[in-house]
Structure formats: structure tokens, C-alpha cells
Amino acid sequence: MIEVTESAKFPLYAEAIRNLHELKESGILLAIDDFGVENASIMDLLSIPSNFIKIDSCFINCSLSNYHIESQKKDILLKVVEMIKMLDKKIIMEGVEWEWQYELAKEVEAD
């Protein structure tokens, strides 16, 4: 699997996208890494060929001491997962180390 960070801005964007399409077509799995912490746009998700979107651990490592922030992050996470599934991509949740994190990943139906 080749991972492309969402913040990676290619100097030769069109050529890089073409090369990524060729890699994917040859059977190599591609993932957009650290989604949600930099500045990826919806157009990046549509144009960068990928099999997986790796959602950054900041979404799963919510502040347990601040329920309001945790609740907001969970709501955003649910919408991000919904959007990724609409794009027919698999979802990898980064930072799942504890049972409560695993339960949250299951709740939002991450792959």
C-alpha cells in the first residue's frame, strides 16, 4: 500500500495524479493518510485515486474532559465517514488503541 498525505501538494499535480491512477490500475492499493488535519479539499478526495482514507487520530482521541468538544468531534466524524462512504472508499481509523476507541470506530462504521 502506498500512502499519500493529504497535505502533499505535487509540483506536477496532473502528472502525479496520472501516475497514481496507473499505480491503482496495476493493483497497488493507495491510501490518503492523515485525513482531517491539513487542508485537503473535496476536489482532492475526488481527484486523488485511492482505495482507503485514513482518518487522523485527532478524531478518535477526543478530549474526554470536555464533553462538548467530544460531542462536536463525534458529529463531524460521523459526517466525514458518511462522505467517504459516498465516495466508495474504505475507512481506516488511526489511533485506535483502547476499547472505547474501538467501540467508537465500530459505532461510526469504519472499516
Side-chain angles (χ1 to χ4, degrees):
M1 178 186 306
I2 295 176
E3 298 180 4
V4 178
T5 62
E6 72 169 74
S7 62
K9 294 300 178 194
F10 311 107
L12 302 171
Y13 189 80
E15 183 178 339
I17 296 300
R18 191 170 38 258
N19 291 337
L20 288 170
H21 275 288
E22 289 175 12
L23 289 169
K24 187 175 180 199
E25 289 169 8
S26 72
I28 294 174
L29 298 175
L30 301 174
I32 296 177
D33 193 24
D34 296 330
F35 182 78
V37 294
E38 292 290 334
N39 57 357
S41 70
I42 300 300
M43 289 308 298
D44 288 335
L45 290 181
L46 293 171
S47 62
I48 297 173
S50 63
N51 305 90
F52 300 92
I53 306 293
K54 295 177 70 179
I55 297 177
D56 190 77
S57 62
C58 71
F59 284 102
I60 202 142
N61 293 322
C62 302
S63 169
L64 294 177
S65 62
N66 189 332
Y67 177 78
H68 181 69
I69 291 173
E70 180 181 329
S71 178
Q72 284 179 326
K73 283 185 179 182
K74 184 176 175 183
D75 290 344
I76 291 168
L77 176 60
L78 286 167
K79 294 301 181 188
V80 167
V81 166
E82 183 180 321
M83 178 185 65
I84 293 169
K85 287 184 181 253
M86 286 174 38
L87 297 172
D88 200 29
K89 312 279 186 192
K90 298 279 187 197
I91 300 164
I92 297 173
M93 296 290 304
E94 295 184 313
V96 177
E97 299 175 0
W98 299 97
E99 187 173 344
W100 66 268
Q101 295 166 322
Y102 174 73
E103 293 301 325
L104 177 59
K106 275 185 9 185
E107 182 181 339
V108 301
E109 300 180 7
D111 299 305

